[in-house]
Amino acid sequence: MTQIVHNYVNGEWIESSTEASFECTDPAEPAEIVAEYQQSDARDAGEAVEAAAAAQAEWATTPAPQRGAILRQAAANLASRKDELTRLLTREEGKTHAEAGGEVQRAIDIFYYYAEKTRDIGGRVKSASSEGTNLYTVNEPVGVAALVTPWNYPIAIPAWKIAPALAAGNTFVINPASEAPGVAVAILEALDEAGLPAGVGNIVTGPGSEVGDAIVTHDAVDAVSFTGSGEVGHLVYDRATDDGKRVQTELGGKNPTVVTEGADVDEAADIVAAGAFGVTGQACTACSRAIVHESIHDEFVEAVVARAKDIEIGPGDEYDMGPQVSESELEGSLNYIDVAQNEGATLEIGGGQPDGDRFGDGYYVEPTVFSGVERDFRIAQEEVFGPVLAVIAVSDFEEAIAAANDSKYGLSASIVTNDHTEAERFVREVEAGVSKINAKTTGLELHVPFGGFKQSSSETWREQGDAGLDFYTIERTVYDNF
């Protein structure tokens, strides 16, 4: 019998009002049920928001270092369960053991980071224009935060929304994606064990179309942080801003790596393959376009194909690349592979599902490389959330920059070059919120801002680092003439 996991609302683990549940299965073995979660509805979401609103004033007046102590203990609680949570993440989402372990560690580190940042929360002292006046600012929490998170980083993304929200004195309700909610639930378990007061943090599982929508549009919610698809994100932004809420959205990407004429081809192939095929390509920052100078194009294609060929596919606890998270995600990748071939791109490797006993009915797709891709092909314009790489040939650096920017997205971009002038130009001219030199498009430091340009983001507020605290605080200016 599988475990039935409850919602956490107002300090208690409770069943949903629907008394219904949904199953979460292992994408490597879809017949294996990992756990059952509450199939909640708008009533459950409303109760959670009301609990958060009732708890907000007292939490806001709790001294920030005391809030930090709870975050620090929650980090320690997560660390004590790292192996268990790594296995759970692999079983629900499909990441390899190494990838899942790295993500769990990222969540632990985020909680430790914001625990320490609570000591710096306060304000700034300024010089007044007149004698006898003390002029300063005070940072205050925004209020109640609605958090809606995706399945592809099911513990890291909740962590980098929850930790700064709590550090700044906000309360929250989170609705995690139904494909892999278990590790987000574990964050609330860790916080509960650390002594988080009732109502300050709440988690409600169930469909985002109902639960997520209900928390985002609730009158008592003051801030909304959403990570997910562009289509849904734009709707969330419009509905929340119409109500005057503070909103940040982080959406899709079509991330390029530019490989210049003088680049080391082997290094470039290593960088691109890691960005394209890591986490099964299921990252908003994954490299899906390699923009390569024509003089080294053929050599690069041969090298990156060799990297793809060396990847061993299978269950995440044993192999280099795991399955996609669901049948629908697998079908989406296979559909784009068909589209690319119909458009005239050349399939260099992959393009299908692997054969063999170890794959069973799992949602596996082969690492796939296309060459002969034109900039207007759908495979070069639309986000493919899978291990599919489009290689585009260009004649010079200017064409490479134009190709990199020829997208409605602008999340992450990288360049492989041995020319520092090219690197500097790339950083200045590429339209991306994250730009990297001689590095893969994926992978983020937790103490610097993260966010995109164009349709990759609302371009309002960044996440992580000090920017994460900025979103969850509002500044009051004080003129003290006492």
Side-chain angles (χ1 to χ4, degrees):
M1 184 175 179
T2 58
Q3 177 187 9
I4 299 179
V5 182
H6 291 165
N7 292 330
Y8 182 73
V9 176
N10 203 25
E12 296 183 358
W13 295 98
I14 60 173
E15 291 186 44
S16 69
S17 59
T18 66
E19 298 183 353
S21 62
F22 64 91
E23 297 174 345
C24 186
T25 60
D26 185 342
E29 297 182 55
E32 182 177 331
I33 300 170
V34 179
E36 291 184 48
Y37 298 91
Q38 302 300 302
Q39 184 78 0
S40 310
D41 63 11
R43 290 171 295 175
D44 302 300
E47 289 175 5
V49 172
E50 289 162 10
Q56 204 280 317
E58 185 173 352
W59 181 246
T61 57
T62 300
Q66 290 185 26
R67 300 197 295 259
I70 291 176
L71 295 183
R72 191 175 302 107
Q73 185 58 53
N77 294 343
L78 290 171
S80 71
R81 299 176 61 190
K82 181 179 177 181
D83 290 344
E84 170 200 346
L85 298 181
T86 296
R87 289 191 298 272
L88 177 59
L89 202 163
T90 293
R91 292 184 67 210
E92 286 195 343
E93 197 268 352
K95 280 187 173 73
T96 68
H97 188 273
E99 292 166 344
E103 184 181 342
V104 173
Q105 187 61 52
R106 167 57 65 95
I108 294 165
D109 292 343
I110 287 168
F111 272 89
Y112 276 128
Y113 172 79
Y114 283 109
E116 296 309 311
K117 293 297 288 184
T118 57
R119 298 181 183 278
D120 296 329
I121 292 174
R124 296 172 293 171
V125 177
K126 297 291 186 177
S127 296
S129 299
S130 58
E131 294 182 4
T133 298
N134 294 320
L135 183 61
Y136 60 94
T137 65
V138 177
N139 291 330
E140 299 180 349
V142 174
V144 178
L147 313 178
V148 181
T149 57
W151 52 261
N152 63 319
Y153 283 93
I155 191 167
I157 293 177
W160 79 49
K161 295 181 188 295
I162 290 171
L166 291 177
N170 300 271
T171 58
F172 72 88
V173 180
I174 184 169
N175 173 224
S178 295
E179 288 86 350
V183 284
V185 170
I187 292 178
L188 272 296
E189 292 171 343
L191 287 165
D192 180 56
E193 293 166 6
L196 190 72
V200 173
N202 307 270
I203 187 166
V204 182
T205 57
S209 58
E210 183 167 3
V211 176
D213 182 69
I215 64 172
V216 163
T217 58
H218 198 288
D219 288 343
V221 165
D222 303 290
V224 174
S225 182
F226 172 90
T227 301
S229 72
E231 180 181 3
V232 176
H234 295 311
L235 291 174
V236 167
Y237 183 83
D238 289 342
R239 296 195 68 181
T241 53
D242 284 347
D243 292 338
K245 296 177 171 66
R246 180 178 292 200
V247 187
Q248 63 179 184
T249 62
E250 292 301 336
L251 311 173
K254 192 65 185 173
N255 311 293
T257 295
V258 170
V259 182
T260 65
E261 184 175 14
D264 181 291
V265 172
D266 285 333
E267 179 187 18
D270 288 340
I271 288 171
V272 170
F277 307 132
V279 296
T280 320
Q282 297 178 136
C284 56
T285 54
C287 174
S288 59
R289 294 181 293 154
I291 299 168
V292 185
H293 193 278
E294 60 188 10
S295 66
I296 59 170
H297 173 273
D298 293 350
E299 185 182 359
F300 171 82
V301 169
E302 181 179 354
V304 81
V305 164
R307 303 307 190 276
K309 187 175 181 179
D310 286 342
I311 294 172
E312 291 192 79
I313 310 170
D317 54 357
E318 297 182 51
Y319 294 92
D320 301 328
M321 191 177 89
Q324 297 214 248
V325 73
S326 66
E327 186 175 11
S328 63
E329 290 296 329
L330 171 63
E331 290 174 351
S333 294
L334 294 175
N335 178 65
Y336 271 111
I337 288 168
D338 289 341
V339 166
Q341 291 177 287
N342 292 335
E343 288 180 316
T346 300
L347 179 64
E348 298 285 351
I349 192 172
Q353 296 179 260
D355 295 323
D357 292 341
R358 74 168 177 263
F359 304 113
D361 295 323
Y363 306 130
Y364 295 99
V365 62
E366 297 167 325
T368 299
V369 178
F370 283 103
S371 64
V373 177
E374 299 295 332
R375 283 164 52 179
D376 61 351
F377 284 8
R378 287 180 62 190
I379 198 73
Q381 290 293 326
E382 299 176 14
E383 184 175 38
V384 183
F385 224 58
V388 181
L389 176 68
V391 183
I392 302 169
V394 292
S395 59
D396 56 30
F397 182 79
E398 284 70 24
E399 186 181 356
I401 290 291
N405 291 337
D406 186 11
S407 171
K408 65 182 179 181
Y409 298 110
L411 186 54
S412 181
S414 71
I415 185 171
V416 185
T417 181
N418 63 0
D419 185 324
H420 197 258
T421 299
E422 288 179 340
E424 289 181 327
R425 281 194 59 190
F426 177 81
V427 170
R428 287 197 307 270
E429 298 175 26
V430 75
E431 296 168 353
V434 175
S435 56
K436 296 186 173 186
I437 301 166
N438 295 330
K440 62 182 180 178
T441 55
T442 53
L444 303 168
E445 295 277 2
L446 62 85
H447 59 291
V448 290
F450 170 65
F453 293 167
K454 300 191 282 190
Q455 291 190 31
S456 287
S457 169
S458 56
E459 296 189 341
T460 47
W461 304 86
R462 296 314 198 200
E463 297 191 273
Q464 303 199 107
D466 289 331
L469 290 171
D470 290 342
F471 174 70
Y472 293 107
T473 56
I474 191 163
E475 206 166 32
R476 179 198 300 270
T477 302
V478 179
Y479 295 78
D480 178 6
N481 291 297
F482 183 74

